[in-house]
Amino acid sequence: MTAVPTATELEIRVAGPEDFAEIRRVTIGAYLAAGHVTEGHPYLAVLGDVEQRARHAELWIAELGGRAVASVMITHPGRKYTEVALDGELEFRMLAVDPAAQGLGVGRAIVERILDHAHSLDGVEAVAITSGAWMAPAHRLYGSLGFVRVPERDWSFDGGPKDLWVFRHGLR
């Protein structure tokens, strides 16, 4: 069993243009490896367009030993990439951990950092996220950190079954 990275080993920071290629690699690789999308799926274009996301949201990158191992997008209500955040909520999306770094606590460390960040923001009372109904490992992580499912806010892309579940973590 590999040890969980320590705060000094894992660096989580706001990403810059020099990080975009690594964010693209990590995000697409993680989504493909997990089976969330397959080669040729249209959502890969969204995941891969890091430059567009960076114009409308804040991107974070996590590095372990100088190598990019994860990324996440932070957004607020009313912005282009926001799906579920209401007034007073921060939203994160596209949390992706390189398959080679999964199981090391990287995802947990990022979500904890997001919660700390949200606490520091005026007017933010909660963090909201969407997670696919099929993403059981993510649900366990979020639940262990205090997120609660809000089924009345569940949704779908196409009007079919509401298989995109909303989770919320109140801060105050």
Side-chain angles (χ1 to χ4, degrees), residues 18-130:
E18 68 279 5
D19 300 308
F20 292 171
E22 284 298 287
I23 290 173
R24 188 174 2 270
R25 177 190 65 78
V26 167
T27 306
I28 290 174
Y31 273 69
L32 285 170
H36 300 321
V37 292
T38 56
E39 288 290 346
H41 192 284
Y43 194 53
L44 284 175
V46 175
L47 295 172
D49 195 351
V50 178
E51 293 78 6
Q52 174 73 0
R53 286 191 279 140
R55 283 193 286 277
H56 299 280
E58 186 171 89
L59 302 181
W60 292 2
I61 189 167
E63 295 174 321
L64 187 58
R67 177 171 163 74
V69 294
S71 69
V72 68
M73 179 175 65
I74 309 293
T75 187
H76 298 270
R79 293 193 182 167
K80 179 176 180 166
Y81 285 94
T82 302
E83 293 177 330
V84 297
L86 303 174
D87 287 341
E89 294 179 340
L90 177 78
E91 180 176 342
F92 70 89
R93 293 190 53 208
M94 300 178 193
L95 173 60
V97 178
D98 187 319
Q102 291 178 4
L104 300 178
V106 174
R108 173 175 293 279
I110 291 172
V111 177
E112 288 172 343
R113 181 73 57 87
I114 292 167
L115 292 170
D116 287 345
H117 175 65
H119 274 289
S120 74
L121 299 174
D122 288 336
V124 174
E125 299 173 359
V127 175
I129 55 171
T130 295

